[in-house]
Amino acid sequence: MATAEKTKKKKFRGVVHVLPERCKGCRVCVEFCPTGAITMSDGFNSRGFHYPEFTYPEKCTGCELCGMYCPDFAIYGYREKIGEGE
Amino acid sequence: MSVEEKVKENPVEEFLRTDRLPHVWCQGCGIGTTVNCFARAVRKCGIPLEKLAIVSGICCTGRVAGYLKLDSFHVTHGRPIPFATGLKLANPELTVVVYSGDGDIAAIGGNHLINAARRNVDITVIMLNNFTYAMTGGQVTPTAPYESINTTAPYGAYEKPFNLPHLVASCGAVYVARWTAYHVVQLTKAMVEAMNKKGFSFIEVISPCPTIFLRRNRLGDAIAELKFYKEHSVIKHGADTSEVGWDETRPDEIIVGKFVDVERPDFIEAMNTHLSKRLGDKYVWWGKK
Ligand SMILES: Cc1ncc(C[n+]2csc(CCOP(=O)(O)OP(=O)(O)O)c2C)c(N)n1
Ligand code: SF4
Ligand code: SF4
Ligand code: SF4
Ligand SMILES: [Mg+2]
């Protein structure tokens, strides 16, 4: 019940994009994401690296930390108003 | 970032020469992380891009100049500070940022560092300290901690490493800070402050080099190193710089923060004030009054 109310009040959601071909699979983004919204994919990019996936969008706050940490400019997150683009 | 501002591409993108990506830096190398901070700092600092110039020397960190889509100069090893000094003196309206490695800035370029700080040349030096000459395979640098293993110190380093915040502060730098690649938010803020500061500003960024320094010293990967920074950093703004040295390979305390933020006439101002006093009307003021 409390959770349902909370979800109702949520005005923004986090959005994350991954650019797999730039990724070198260091896992820094996954390790330092405060909410556990991203995980490493089983897939490989063309250079043989695993890259992250946006597995749990509902957890993401759009805090942008994954993008700040990624040494390869291969992931970034931001906040989007709920309702936008729908 | 404000929530109204909708970002559809990576915020770092507009500052990158994306045709050169993926870059050459190794898996987990901290240099790229600091570039994310720098890109955000450039956005926030309000300096028009055409008034901003980046200078790097030859080194892994020096590649930053090559990847940034700004007026960037990749100059001889050790000489970014004199190059930047010339650039600033010739065009005082520019904001000039030196972005380079510890060997480049503090070893071969050490003399330039102390003199630029002493003269209070209005430039910002962002020095990425990975404790080694990474690009050339890991020779011992003046920042290599005691006992750290390097190709030219196979039994461990035994020279006292530089305490660079203390060095530049004692020479007269007006802004001195140290952060690590873990402190992305604080580092971004420090970069904004340093770029907007009139006079010589210096930021030491402690950063993981997984391929050379961490591997040779068996310190694990980039994640392990960032966690080490996280767990051992102590923020001490205004700390006595004589006490912030990084001496042991694994110190218990990594002192980070903004150590110095003071005012002092910069080189051009000092020159203008002094020479107009001595020469009177004959003196032509250099730069904006
Ligand atoms: C005059 C000169 N001397 C030596 C070299 C070789 N050299 C290239 S990069 C480098 C060391 C770079 O180390 P550092 O400045 O710490 O940067 P990092 O690679 O660790 O980022 C050296 C010694 C050179 N290119 N030019
Ligand atoms: S934006 Fe923040 S919460 Fe979302 S995935 Fe990235 S680090 Fe995690
Ligand atoms: S931090 Fe960047 S390079 Fe490392 S795994 Fe995540 S996306 Fe890939
Ligand atoms: S050698 Fe070290 S500093 Fe150079 S790119 Fe690789 S990890 Fe980074
Ligand atoms: Mg170095």
Side-chain angles (χ1 to χ4, degrees), chain A residues 17-24 26 29 52 66-77, chain B residues 9-18 20-25 29-40 63-64 66-68 99:
Chain A
H17 293 294
V18 180
L19 305 161
E21 285 307 314
R22 282 190 192 170
C23 174
K24 294 195 184 116
C26 69
C29 55
C66 49
M68 295 282 281
Y69 279 111
C70 174
D72 288 89
F73 320 121
I75 187 169
Y76 60 102
Chain B
E9 65 169 21
N10 193 334
V12 69
E13 211 74 8
E14 61 176 301
F15 302 107
L16 294 175
R17 297 176 201 267
T18 48
R20 297 189 179 182
L21 299 179
H23 57 54
V24 298
W25 296 314
C29 174
I31 300 173
T33 304
T34 70
V35 172
N36 288 320
C37 300
F38 185 69
R40 283 157 176 88
R63 293 269 182 160
V64 167
Y67 292 120
L68 284 175
Y99 207 130

Side-chain angles (χ1 to χ4, degrees), chain B residues 24-27 29-31 60 130 134-135 208-212:
Chain B
V24 298
W25 296 314
C26 311
Q27 182 191 62
C29 174
I31 300 173
C60 290
N130 49 21
M135 179 170 262
C209 165
T211 303
I212 306 288

